[in-house]
Amino acid sequence: MFAATILTLYPEMFPGPLGISLAGRALAEGRWSIEPVQIRDYATDRHRSVDDTPAGGGAGMVMRADVLARAVDAALDRRPDVPLLAMTPRGRPLSQERVRTLAAGPGVTILCGRFEGIDERLFEGRAIEQVSVGDYVLSGGEMAAMVVLDACIRLLPGVMGAASSGDDESFETGLLEYPQYTRPVEWEGRTIPEVLRSGDHAAVNAWRHARAEADTRSRRPDLWERHGGARIHPPSGARHEKKDR
Ligand code: ADE
């Protein structure tokens, strides 16, 4: 079973949306578990303080290394076998590859930051993988932790239905997924591409692959470059033409 431990100042935020729908059903079925831990329980002063003003001045508050280290060490004692992550916009961007590896393991411990950040000495003193969910700033790491968990949970055995292995979907192939259509066949004068109604599976697959490539190239040149698309289709007029069929 995939066991998540969440170190947070807001344990009541969990499971939150992960208690509903696909993840919620999987939680009820015992396919994963979640243990939110109140970081404040590791404070030692009578105000139970977890933060203080930033050294060098500036706005906001910084989470204390000593308090966080006690929370982290207790979690490591309980679950020495699981990866320890901290959610921060300064972290390495989350990838589908990292998600796949995490989901294949025994679980994860996630430290959620709040305020202006975490005392850097925590990351010097403990082996913690810093992870970002994107180049924007959330009000805390909790939503980001939910993103990590949601992405992992849907990959756990038995969680996704038959539609599942998800081999075609965005990023699993290094490309964006091809566009989808469903009934009605005509909507506001627009029809479903003919090939998808042809019953010719080889033609459908070829069309989907071509659209996945064209859409990745136009929407996500960064992904396309990494995919090696530029090598397969050398720079030419073809690279710049808009193929929004
Ligand atoms: N905390 C605040 N913003 C974040 C982000 N983009 N990713 C991960 N954790 C965060």
Side-chain angles (χ1 to χ4, degrees):
M1 199 235 289
F2 186 88
T5 304
I6 310 295
L7 311 181
T8 171
L9 291 173
Y10 299 99
E12 64 277 17
M13 286 177 76
F14 296 89
L18 299 175
I20 294 171
S21 187
L22 197 79
R25 200 172 326 125
L27 183 59
E29 289 168 355
R31 297 185 194 280
W32 69 285
S33 69
I34 185 160
E35 188 194 356
V37 173
Q38 172 57 267
I39 291 170
R40 207 172 286 283
D41 291 347
Y42 293 89
T44 51
D45 63 326
R46 60 193 177 88
H47 301 294
R48 301 224 298 160
S49 53
V50 294
D51 60 342
D52 210 327
T53 54
M61 300 292 274
V62 175
M63 295 182 87
R64 289 167 50 148
D66 56 345
V67 177
L68 291 181
R70 276 192 293 274
V72 160
D73 290 346
L76 284 171
D77 269 354
R78 272 199 309 274
R79 295 306 306 268
D81 54 325
V82 308
L84 172 58
L85 276 51
M87 304 316 300
T88 159
R90 282 168 46 83
R92 166 193 270 254
L94 185 65
S95 67
Q96 187 64 23
E97 188 188 356
R98 187 70 189 106
V99 166
R100 233 182 289 124
T101 306
L102 286 173
V108 66
T109 296
I110 307 181
L111 170 62
C112 303
R114 279 269 153 181
F115 317 121
E116 293 309 305
I118 294 171
D119 188 315
E120 185 65 16
R121 292 170 296 177
L122 179 75
F123 300 120
E124 294 164 5
R126 298 292 182 278
I128 301 175
E129 178 184 342
Q130 299 179 63
V131 177
S132 166
V133 295
D135 292 340
Y136 42 80
V137 181
L138 302 171
S139 53
E142 285 78 8
M143 298 278 195
M146 288 181 204
V147 167
V148 173
L149 292 180
D150 183 82
C152 289
I153 290 159
R154 61 188 288 280
L155 298 182
L156 299 177
V159 172
M160 278 197 295
S164 65
S165 70
D167 292 341
D168 269 4
E169 55 187 30
S170 291
F171 311 116
E172 288 293 355
T173 59
L175 295 171
L176 299 182
E177 195 187 354
Y178 48 79
Q180 300 278 11
Y181 300 84
T182 188
R183 281 181 282 276
V185 167
E186 187 186 331
W187 173 74
E188 293 192 350
R190 297 164 194 276
T191 54
I192 295 174
E194 191 65 45
V195 60
L196 299 181
R197 292 179 282 142
S198 68
D200 180 343
H201 292 298
V204 167
N205 285 339
W207 181 89
R208 285 178 167 170
H209 189 71
R211 277 300 302 258
E213 289 199 337
D215 291 349
T216 304
R217 194 167 54 188
S218 64
R219 296 176 179 202
R220 291 292 305 275
D222 58 322
L223 270 188
W224 180 245
E225 210 67 31
R226 250 184 289 159
H227 181 69
R231 261 184 289 114
I232 301 162
H233 302 272
S236 73
R239 272 194 88 202
H240 303 290
E241 94 190 352
K242 281 268 176 277
K243 272 201 184 150
D244 260 330
R245 281 162 295 176

